[in-house]
Amino acid sequence: MALHFERAEYDARRDRLMIEMADKKLDAVLLFAQESMYWLTGYDTFGFCFFQCLVVKADGSMVLLTRSADLRQARHTSTLDNIVVWTDRDGANPALELRNLLNDLDLLGARIGIEYDTHGLTAYNGRRLDEQMQTFGQIADASGIVSRLRLFKSPAEIKKAEKAAALADDALDAALKIIKQGADEGAILAAMQGAIFAGGGDYPANEFIIGSGADALLCRYKAGRRKLTKNDQLTLEWAGVFHHYHAPMMRTVLTGKVSKRHQELYDASLAALLAVEKAMTPGNTFGDVFDAHARIMEAHGLTKHRLNACGYSVGARFTPSWMDMPMFYQGNPEPIAPDMTLFAHMIIMDSETETAMCLGRTYLTTDSQPRPLSRHDLDLIVK
């Protein structure tokens, strides 16, 4: 089997889930998030674009319902022994086959939690699932159970995050070698992703973000490439990825001369990130971290140019996004605790002057101040 952790690690994760299930009086949970399946068993696939479900009973036993294309994938990459295949055919209803499986598992009338909040369960399949379950048992929304367990990283997971962060640094090093006037965005992307692959890393859960000129104000990937000009701005958001664990970084790199507005925005972004670091300590909440960012932005007169969130948890994630919960936004009561891997980004987009400035890196929380996982400093990069 192609497992990335010791079996004892997976056993400990299963036991943590069983404690949560007992606390919530659940006889079983139906997991649809690929992250949940990977975390619990090692199962590694993009087959969650189709209907599949990991059934976990209160006694810790597990059964995976999936398609034939993922049968060998599950056998090779996971700890799972019990794998059931539903058959692709005209008029197939895998939700009905799941209900029949649950009946075979003696769960009729049981209290069953369902992981609804995931890209692994489309609205269409969710409706079909509800149709089958409404008369089968007592249904509860169990969306946040495994995702919150994943928030706290084990020592073995921290090593994965550290490796991912080293790959993110390698990607930046590769980009900086070729960023200059006339450089092509496509070549920059190729260098960054190539460095990660060459270092043993993986595809990211979402596309790297790259944009120069006016496109530097975008914080999502878009199609289309351009070449850098003499005095240009290039926004990059990328992640080192190792065994699906992500360590994102973000920078706005300048070519040529630094404009007065760029310097102003950089000074604000640096001050905000340093304030966020001070707030990212036990005793504070995710909302407190956002407030630290917002206060600095307000002090610099940049409230209308900032975003309404300034980061989020990261870990082992799958398409379509490496963003995990919880996020740094106003009023989020989730406490900061040790052994979280958190990405903080200061994003300033001044549409009035078409000026961008972004600064971000991944941290490991501790008993006191967080530890940056990147070896790179926070200096303004000018090429």
Coordinates of all heavy atoms in Angstrom, one line a residue, residues 10 13-18 20-21 24 26-43 45 47-58 60-66 79-80 86 98 101-102 105 107 112-122 125 129 133 139-150:
Y10 N -3.1 6.5 11.5 CA -4.4 6.4 11.0 C -5.3 5.9 12.2 O -6.5 6.3 12.3 CB -4.5 5.5 9.8 CG -3.8 6.1 8.6 CD1 -2.6 5.5 8.1 CD2 -4.4 7.2 7.9 CE1 -2.0 6.1 7.0 CE2 -3.8 7.7 6.8 CZ -2.6 7.2 6.3 OH -2.0 7.7 5.2
R13 N -6.3 8.7 14.4 CA -7.3 9.6 13.8 C -8.6 9.0 13.9 O -9.6 9.7 14.2 CB -6.9 9.9 12.4 CG -5.6 10.6 12.2 CD -5.2 10.7 10.7 NE -3.8 11.3 10.6 CZ -3.3 11.5 9.4 NH1 -3.8 11.2 8.3 NH2 -2.1 12.1 9.4
R14 N -8.7 7.7 13.6 CA -10.0 7.0 13.8 C -10.5 7.1 15.2 O -11.7 7.3 15.4 CB -9.8 5.5 13.4 CG -11.1 4.6 13.5 CD -10.7 3.2 13.7 NE -9.9 3.0 14.9 CZ -9.0 2.0 15.0 NH1 -8.8 1.2 14.0 NH2 -8.3 1.9 16.1
D15 N -9.7 6.9 16.1 CA -10.1 7.0 17.5 C -10.6 8.3 17.9 O -11.6 8.5 18.7 CB -8.9 6.5 18.5 CG -8.6 5.1 18.3 OD1 -9.4 4.3 17.7 OD2 -7.5 4.7 18.8
R16 N -9.9 9.4 17.4 CA -10.4 10.7 17.7 C -11.8 11.0 17.1 O -12.7 11.6 17.7 CB -9.4 11.8 17.1 CG -8.1 11.9 17.8 CD -7.2 12.8 17.1 NE -7.6 14.1 17.0 CZ -7.2 15.0 16.1 NH1 -6.2 14.7 15.3 NH2 -7.7 16.3 16.1
L17 N -12.0 10.4 15.9 CA -13.4 10.5 15.3 C -14.4 9.8 16.1 O -15.5 10.2 16.3 CB -13.3 10.0 13.9 CG -14.7 10.0 13.1 CD1 -15.3 11.4 13.1 CD2 -14.5 9.5 11.7
M18 N -14.0 8.6 16.6 CA -15.0 7.8 17.4 C -15.4 8.5 18.6 O -16.6 8.5 19.1 CB -14.4 6.4 17.7 CG -14.2 5.5 16.5 SD -13.2 4.0 16.9 CE -14.2 3.3 18.2
E20 N -15.6 11.8 19.0 CA -16.5 12.8 18.6 C -17.9 12.3 18.2 O -18.9 12.8 18.6 CB -16.0 13.6 17.3 CG -14.8 14.4 17.6 CD -15.1 15.6 18.5 OE1 -16.2 16.3 18.3 OE2 -14.4 15.8 19.5
M21 N -17.9 11.1 17.6 CA -19.2 10.5 17.3 C -20.0 10.1 18.5 O -21.2 10.3 18.6 CB -19.0 9.2 16.4 CG -18.5 9.6 15.0 SD -18.0 8.1 14.0 CE -19.5 7.2 13.9
K24 N -21.5 13.1 20.1 CA -22.7 13.6 19.4 C -23.8 12.5 19.2 O -24.7 12.7 18.5 CB -22.3 14.1 18.0 CG -21.4 15.4 18.2 CD -20.9 15.8 16.8 CE -20.1 17.2 17.0 NZ -19.1 17.2 18.0
L26 N -23.8 9.6 17.6 CA -24.0 9.2 16.2 C -23.6 7.7 16.1 O -22.5 7.3 16.6 CB -23.1 10.0 15.3 CG -23.4 11.5 15.2 CD1 -22.4 12.2 14.3 CD2 -24.8 11.7 14.6
D27 N -24.5 6.9 15.5 CA -24.2 5.5 15.3 C -23.3 5.3 14.0 O -22.6 4.3 13.9 CB -25.5 4.8 15.0 CG -26.4 4.8 16.3 OD1 -25.9 4.5 17.4 OD2 -27.6 5.3 16.1
A28 N -23.3 6.3 13.1 CA -22.5 6.2 11.9 C -22.4 7.6 11.3 O -23.2 8.5 11.6 CB -23.1 5.3 10.9
V29 N -21.3 7.8 10.5 CA -21.2 9.1 9.8 C -21.0 8.7 8.3 O -20.3 7.7 8.0 CB -20.1 10.0 10.2 CG1 -20.5 10.6 11.6 CG2 -18.8 9.3 10.3
L30 N -21.5 9.5 7.4 CA -21.3 9.3 6.0 C -20.4 10.4 5.5 O -20.8 11.6 5.5 CB -22.7 9.3 5.2 CG -23.8 8.4 5.8 CD1 -25.0 8.5 4.8 CD2 -23.3 7.0 5.9
L31 N -19.2 10.1 5.1 CA -18.2 11.1 4.7 C -18.1 11.2 3.2 O -18.0 10.2 2.5 CB -16.9 10.7 5.3 CG -16.8 10.6 6.9 CD1 -15.4 10.3 7.3 CD2 -17.3 11.9 7.5
F32 N -18.2 12.4 2.7 CA -18.1 12.6 1.3 C -17.0 13.5 0.9 O -16.6 13.6 -0.3 CB -19.4 13.3 0.8 CG -20.6 12.4 0.8 CD1 -21.4 12.3 2.0 CD2 -20.9 11.5 -0.3 CE1 -22.5 11.4 2.0 CE2 -22.0 10.7 -0.2 CZ -22.8 10.6 0.9
A33 N -16.3 14.2 1.9 CA -15.2 15.0 1.6 C -14.0 14.2 1.3 O -13.6 13.3 2.1 CB -14.9 16.0 2.7
Q34 N -13.3 14.4 0.2 CA -12.1 13.6 -0.1 C -11.0 13.8 1.0 O -10.3 12.9 1.3 CB -11.5 14.0 -1.5 CG -10.3 13.2 -1.9 CD -10.6 11.7 -1.9 OE1 -11.7 11.3 -2.4 NE2 -9.7 10.9 -1.4
E35 N -11.0 15.1 1.5 CA -10.0 15.3 2.6 C -10.2 14.5 3.8 O -9.3 14.0 4.5 CB -10.1 16.8 3.0 CG -9.7 17.8 2.0 CD -10.8 18.1 1.0 OE1 -11.9 17.7 1.1 OE2 -10.5 18.8 0.0
S36 N -11.5 14.2 4.1 CA -11.8 13.4 5.3 C -11.4 11.9 5.0 O -10.8 11.3 5.9 CB -13.4 13.4 5.5 OG -13.8 14.7 5.9
M37 N -11.6 11.4 3.8 CA -11.3 10.1 3.5 C -9.8 9.9 3.5 O -9.2 8.9 4.0 CB -11.8 9.7 2.1 CG -13.4 9.8 2.0 SD -14.0 9.2 0.4 CE -15.6 10.0 0.4
Y38 N -9.1 10.9 2.9 CA -7.6 10.8 2.9 C -7.0 10.9 4.3 O -6.1 10.1 4.6 CB -7.1 12.0 2.1 CG -5.6 12.1 1.9 CD1 -4.9 11.2 1.1 CD2 -4.9 13.1 2.7 CE1 -3.5 11.3 1.0 CE2 -3.5 13.2 2.5 CZ -2.8 12.3 1.7 OH -1.4 12.4 1.6
W39 N -7.5 11.8 5.1 CA -7.0 11.9 6.5 C -7.3 10.6 7.3 O -6.4 10.2 8.1 CB -7.7 13.1 7.1 CG -7.3 13.5 8.5 CD1 -6.1 14.2 8.9 CD2 -7.9 13.2 9.8 NE1 -6.1 14.3 10.2 CE2 -7.2 13.7 10.8 CE3 -9.1 12.5 10.1 CZ2 -7.5 13.6 12.1 CZ3 -9.5 12.4 11.4 CH2 -8.7 12.9 12.4
L40 N -8.4 10.0 7.2 CA -8.8 8.9 8.0 C -8.1 7.6 7.5 O -7.7 6.7 8.3 CB -10.3 8.6 8.0 CG -11.1 9.3 9.0 CD1 -12.6 9.1 8.8 CD2 -10.7 8.9 10.4
T41 N -7.9 7.4 6.2 CA -7.5 6.1 5.6 C -6.3 6.2 4.6 O -5.8 5.2 4.3 CB -8.7 5.5 4.8 OG1 -8.9 6.2 3.6 CG2 -9.9 5.5 5.7
G42 N -6.0 7.4 4.2 CA -5.0 7.5 3.1 C -5.5 7.5 1.7 O -4.7 7.7 0.8
Y43 N -6.8 7.2 1.6 CA -7.4 7.0 0.2 C -7.2 8.3 -0.6 O -7.6 9.4 -0.2 CB -8.9 6.7 0.4 CG -9.7 6.6 -0.9 CD1 -9.2 5.9 -2.0 CD2 -11.0 7.1 -0.9 CE1 -9.9 5.8 -3.1 CE2 -11.7 7.0 -2.1 CZ -11.2 6.3 -3.2 OH -12.0 6.2 -4.3
T45 N -7.5 10.0 -4.4 CA -8.1 10.0 -5.7 C -8.7 11.3 -6.0 O -9.0 12.1 -5.1 CB -9.2 8.9 -5.7 OG1 -9.8 8.8 -7.0 CG2 -10.3 9.2 -4.8
G47 N -11.5 10.9 -7.8 CA -12.8 10.2 -8.1 C -14.0 10.8 -7.4 O -15.1 10.4 -7.6
F48 N -13.7 11.7 -6.4 CA -14.9 12.3 -5.7 C -15.7 13.2 -6.6 O -16.7 13.7 -6.1 CB -14.4 13.0 -4.4 CG -13.5 14.2 -4.8 CD1 -14.0 15.5 -4.9 CD2 -12.1 14.0 -4.9 CE1 -13.2 16.5 -5.2 CE2 -11.3 15.1 -5.2 CZ -11.8 16.4 -5.4
C49 N -15.3 13.4 -7.8 CA -16.2 14.1 -8.7 C -17.4 13.3 -9.1 O -18.4 13.8 -9.6 CB -15.4 14.5 -10.0 SG -14.7 13.1 -10.9
F50 N -17.3 12.0 -8.8 CA -18.5 11.1 -8.9 C -19.0 10.8 -7.5 O -18.4 11.1 -6.5 CB -18.2 9.9 -9.6 CG -17.8 10.1 -11.1 CD1 -16.4 10.2 -11.4 CD2 -18.7 10.3 -12.1 CE1 -16.1 10.4 -12.7 CE2 -18.4 10.5 -13.4 CZ -17.0 10.6 -13.7
F51 N -20.1 10.1 -7.4 CA -20.7 9.7 -6.1 C -19.8 8.6 -5.4 O -19.5 7.6 -6.0 CB -22.1 9.1 -6.3 CG -22.8 8.9 -5.0 CD1 -23.8 9.8 -4.5 CD2 -22.6 7.8 -4.2 CE1 -24.5 9.6 -3.3 CE2 -23.2 7.6 -3.0 CZ -24.2 8.5 -2.6
Q52 N -19.3 8.9 -4.2 CA -18.7 7.9 -3.4 C -18.9 8.3 -1.9 O -19.1 9.5 -1.6 CB -17.2 7.8 -3.7 CG -16.3 9.0 -3.4 CD -14.8 8.7 -3.7 OE1 -14.5 7.6 -4.2 NE2 -14.0 9.6 -3.3
C53 N -18.8 7.4 -1.0 CA -19.1 7.7 0.4 C -18.3 6.7 1.2 O -18.2 5.5 1.0 CB -20.6 7.5 0.7 SG -21.0 7.7 2.4
L54 N -17.7 7.2 2.3 CA -17.0 6.4 3.3 C -17.9 6.4 4.5 O -18.2 7.4 5.1 CB -15.7 7.0 3.7 CG -14.9 6.2 4.8 CD1 -14.5 4.8 4.3 CD2 -13.6 7.0 5.2
V55 N -18.4 5.2 4.8 CA -19.3 4.9 6.0 C -18.4 4.6 7.2 O -17.6 3.6 7.1 CB -20.3 3.8 5.7 CG1 -21.2 3.6 6.9 CG2 -21.1 4.1 4.4
V56 N -18.5 5.3 8.2 CA -17.8 5.0 9.5 C -18.8 4.8 10.6 O -19.6 5.6 10.9 CB -16.8 6.2 9.9 CG1 -16.0 5.8 11.1 CG2 -15.9 6.6 8.7
K57 N -18.7 3.6 11.1 CA -19.6 3.2 12.2 C -19.0 3.6 13.6 O -17.8 3.8 13.7 CB -20.0 1.7 12.2 CG -20.7 1.3 10.9 CD -21.1 -0.2 11.0 CE -22.1 -0.5 12.1 NZ -22.6 -1.9 12.0
A58 N -19.9 3.6 14.6 CA -19.4 4.0 15.9 C -18.3 3.1 16.5 O -17.6 3.6 17.4 CB -20.6 4.1 16.9
G60 N -15.9 2.1 14.8 CA -14.6 2.4 14.1 C -14.5 1.6 12.8 O -13.6 1.9 12.0
S61 N -15.4 0.7 12.5 CA -15.3 0.0 11.2 C -15.7 0.9 10.1 O -16.6 1.8 10.2 CB -16.2 -1.3 11.3 OG -17.6 -0.9 11.5
M62 N -15.2 0.6 8.9 CA -15.4 1.5 7.8 C -15.7 0.7 6.5 O -15.1 -0.4 6.3 CB -14.1 2.4 7.5 CG -13.7 3.2 8.7 SD -12.3 4.3 8.2 CE -11.6 4.6 9.8
V63 N -16.5 1.3 5.7 CA -16.8 0.7 4.4 C -16.8 1.8 3.3 O -17.5 2.9 3.6 CB -18.2 0.0 4.3 CG1 -18.4 -0.7 3.0 CG2 -18.3 -1.0 5.4
L64 N -16.1 1.6 2.2 CA -16.1 2.6 1.2 C -17.1 2.2 0.0 O -16.9 1.1 -0.5 CB -14.7 2.8 0.6 CG -14.6 3.8 -0.6 CD1 -14.9 5.2 -0.2 CD2 -13.2 3.7 -1.2
L65 N -18.0 3.0 -0.4 CA -18.8 2.8 -1.6 C -18.3 3.7 -2.7 O -18.2 4.9 -2.5 CB -20.3 3.1 -1.3 CG -21.2 3.0 -2.5 CD1 -21.4 1.5 -2.9 CD2 -22.6 3.6 -2.2
T66 N -17.8 3.1 -3.8 CA -17.2 3.9 -4.9 C -17.5 3.2 -6.2 O -18.2 2.2 -6.3 CB -15.7 4.1 -4.6 OG1 -15.2 5.0 -5.5 CG2 -15.0 2.8 -4.7
T79 N -6.0 2.3 3.9 CA -6.0 1.2 4.9 C -7.3 0.4 4.8 O -7.5 -0.5 5.6 CB -5.9 1.8 6.3 OG1 -7.1 2.7 6.5 CG2 -4.7 2.6 6.5
L80 N -8.2 0.7 3.9 CA -9.5 0.1 3.8 C -9.4 -1.3 3.3 O -8.7 -1.6 2.3 CB -10.4 1.0 2.8 CG -10.8 2.4 3.3 CD1 -11.3 3.2 2.2 CD2 -11.8 2.3 4.5
W86 N -20.4 0.5 -6.6 CA -21.7 0.7 -7.3 C -21.5 0.7 -8.8 O -20.5 1.2 -9.3 CB -22.5 1.9 -6.8 CG -21.9 3.2 -7.1 CD1 -21.0 3.9 -6.3 CD2 -22.2 4.1 -8.2 NE1 -20.7 5.1 -6.9 CE2 -21.4 5.3 -8.1 CE3 -23.0 3.9 -9.4 CZ2 -21.4 6.3 -9.0 CZ3 -23.0 4.9 -10.3 CH2 -22.2 6.1 -10.1
L98 N -26.3 3.1 -1.6 CA -25.8 3.4 -0.3 C -26.8 3.1 0.8 O -26.4 2.5 1.9 CB -25.5 4.9 -0.2 CG -25.0 5.4 1.2 CD1 -23.8 4.7 1.7 CD2 -24.7 6.9 1.1
L101 N -26.6 -0.5 1.4 CA -25.4 -0.9 2.1 C -25.6 -0.6 3.6 O -25.2 -1.4 4.5 CB -24.2 -0.1 1.6 CG -22.9 -0.2 2.4 CD1 -22.4 -1.6 2.4 CD2 -21.8 0.8 1.8
L102 N -26.2 0.6 3.9 CA -26.4 0.9 5.3 C -27.4 -0.1 6.0 O -27.2 -0.4 7.2 CB -27.0 2.3 5.4 CG -26.1 3.4 4.9 CD1 -26.9 4.8 5.0 CD2 -24.8 3.5 5.7
L105 N -25.5 -3.0 6.9 CA -24.6 -2.8 8.1 C -25.4 -2.6 9.4 O -24.9 -2.2 10.4 CB -23.8 -1.5 7.8 CG -22.8 -1.5 6.7 CD1 -22.2 -0.2 6.4 CD2 -21.7 -2.6 7.0
L107 N -27.9 -0.6 10.1 CA -28.1 0.8 10.6 C -29.5 1.4 10.4 O -29.7 2.6 10.5 CB -27.1 1.7 9.8 CG -25.6 1.5 10.3 CD1 -24.6 2.2 9.3 CD2 -25.4 2.0 11.7
I112 N -27.6 8.9 12.1 CA -26.5 8.9 11.1 C -26.2 10.4 10.8 O -27.1 11.2 10.5 CB -27.0 8.2 9.9 CG1 -27.3 6.7 10.2 CG2 -25.9 8.3 8.8 CD1 -27.9 5.9 9.0
G113 N -24.9 10.7 10.9 CA -24.4 12.0 10.5 C -24.0 12.0 9.1 O -23.4 11.1 8.6
I114 N -24.3 13.1 8.4 CA -23.9 13.2 7.0 C -23.1 14.5 6.8 O -23.4 15.6 7.3 CB -25.2 13.3 6.1 CG1 -26.0 12.1 6.2 CG2 -24.8 13.5 4.6 CD1 -27.3 12.1 5.4
E115 N -22.0 14.3 6.1 CA -21.0 15.4 5.7 C -21.5 16.1 4.5 O -21.1 15.7 3.4 CB -19.6 14.8 5.5 CG -18.5 15.8 5.6 CD -17.1 15.1 5.5 OE1 -17.0 14.2 4.6 OE2 -16.2 15.5 6.2
Y116 N -22.4 17.1 4.7 CA -23.0 17.8 3.5 C -22.1 18.8 2.9 O -22.1 19.1 1.7 CB -24.3 18.5 4.0 CG -25.5 17.6 4.2 CD1 -25.9 17.3 5.5 CD2 -26.2 17.0 3.1 CE1 -27.0 16.5 5.7 CE2 -27.3 16.2 3.3 CZ -27.7 15.9 4.6 OH -28.8 15.1 4.7
D117 N -21.3 19.5 3.8 CA -20.6 20.7 3.3 C -19.3 20.4 2.7 O -18.2 20.5 3.3 CB -20.4 21.7 4.5 CG -19.8 23.0 4.1 OD1 -19.8 23.3 2.9 OD2 -19.3 23.8 5.0
T118 N -19.3 19.9 1.4 CA -18.2 19.5 0.7 C -18.4 19.4 -0.8 O -19.6 19.2 -1.2 CB -17.7 18.1 1.2 OG1 -16.7 17.6 0.3 CG2 -18.8 17.1 1.2
H119 N -17.4 19.7 -1.6 CA -17.5 19.6 -3.0 C -17.7 18.1 -3.4 O -18.0 17.8 -4.6 CB -16.3 20.2 -3.7 CG -16.1 21.6 -3.4 ND1 -15.4 22.1 -2.4 CD2 -16.7 22.7 -4.1 CE1 -15.4 23.5 -2.4 NE2 -16.2 23.8 -3.4
G120 N -17.5 17.2 -2.5 CA -17.6 15.8 -2.8 C -19.1 15.3 -2.8 O -19.3 14.1 -3.2
L121 N -20.0 16.2 -2.5 CA -21.4 15.9 -2.5 C -22.1 17.0 -3.2 O -22.4 18.1 -2.6 CB -22.0 15.6 -1.1 CG -23.4 15.2 -1.0 CD1 -23.6 13.8 -1.7 CD2 -23.9 15.2 0.4
T122 N -22.5 16.8 -4.5 CA -23.2 17.9 -5.2 C -24.6 18.0 -4.7 O -25.1 17.1 -4.0 CB -23.2 17.5 -6.7 OG1 -24.0 16.3 -6.9 CG2 -21.8 17.3 -7.3
N125 N -26.7 15.1 -6.0 CA -26.6 13.8 -5.2 C -27.0 14.0 -3.8 O -27.5 13.0 -3.2 CB -25.1 13.4 -5.3 CG -24.7 12.7 -6.6 OD1 -25.6 12.1 -7.2 ND2 -23.5 12.9 -7.0
L129 N -29.7 11.6 -2.0 CA -29.3 11.0 -0.7 C -30.5 11.3 0.3 O -30.9 10.3 1.0 CB -28.0 11.6 -0.2 CG -27.6 11.1 1.2 CD1 -27.3 9.6 1.2 CD2 -26.3 11.9 1.6
M133 N -32.7 8.7 2.6 CA -32.5 8.6 4.0 C -33.6 9.1 4.9 O -33.7 8.8 6.1 CB -31.2 9.5 4.4 CG -30.0 9.0 3.7 SD -29.6 7.3 4.1 CE -29.3 7.4 5.9
I139 N -31.3 11.6 10.9 CA -30.3 12.3 10.1 C -29.8 13.5 10.8 O -30.6 14.4 11.3 CB -30.7 12.6 8.7 CG1 -31.2 11.3 8.0 CG2 -29.6 13.2 7.9 CD1 -30.2 10.2 8.0
A140 N -28.5 13.7 10.9 CA -27.9 14.9 11.5 C -26.8 15.4 10.5 O -26.2 14.7 9.8 CB -27.3 14.6 12.9
D141 N -26.6 16.8 10.5 CA -25.6 17.4 9.7 C -24.2 17.2 10.5 O -24.1 17.8 11.5 CB -25.9 18.8 9.5 CG -24.9 19.5 8.5 OD1 -23.8 18.9 8.2 OD2 -25.2 20.5 7.9
A142 N -23.3 16.4 9.9 CA -22.0 16.2 10.5 C -20.9 16.8 9.7 O -19.8 16.4 9.8 CB -21.8 14.7 10.6
S143 N -21.2 18.0 9.1 CA -20.2 18.6 8.1 C -18.9 18.9 8.8 O -17.9 18.8 8.1 CB -20.9 19.8 7.5 OG -22.0 19.4 6.7
G144 N -18.9 19.5 10.0 CA -17.7 20.0 10.5 C -16.9 19.1 11.4 O -15.8 19.5 11.9
I145 N -17.3 17.9 11.6 CA -16.6 17.0 12.5 C -15.2 16.7 12.1 O -14.3 17.0 12.9 CB -17.4 15.7 12.8 CG1 -18.8 16.0 13.4 CG2 -16.6 14.7 13.6 CD1 -19.6 14.7 13.6
V146 N -15.0 16.1 11.0 CA -13.7 15.7 10.6 C -12.8 16.9 10.2 O -11.6 17.0 10.5 CB -13.7 14.7 9.4 CG1 -12.3 14.3 8.9 CG2 -14.5 13.5 9.8
S147 N -13.4 17.9 9.6 CA -12.6 19.1 9.2 C -12.0 19.8 10.4 O -10.9 20.3 10.4 CB -13.5 20.1 8.4 OG -14.6 20.6 9.2
R148 N -12.8 19.8 11.6 CA -12.2 20.4 12.8 C -11.1 19.5 13.4 O -10.1 20.0 13.9 CB -13.3 20.7 13.8 CG -12.7 21.6 14.9 CD -13.8 22.2 15.8 NE -13.2 23.2 16.6 CZ -12.5 23.0 17.7 NH1 -12.3 21.7 18.1 NH2 -12.0 24.0 18.4
L149 N -11.3 18.2 13.3 CA -10.2 17.3 13.8 C -8.9 17.5 12.9 O -7.8 17.5 13.5 CB -10.6 15.9 13.6 CG -11.7 15.4 14.6 CD1 -12.2 14.0 14.3 CD2 -11.3 15.5 16.0
R150 N -9.1 17.8 11.6 CA -7.9 18.0 10.8 C -7.2 19.3 11.0 O -6.1 19.5 10.6 CB -8.4 18.0 9.3 CG -8.8 16.6 8.8 CD -8.9 16.6 7.3 NE -9.9 17.6 6.8 CZ -9.5 18.7 6.2 NH1 -8.2 19.0 6.0 NH2 -10.4 19.6 5.7

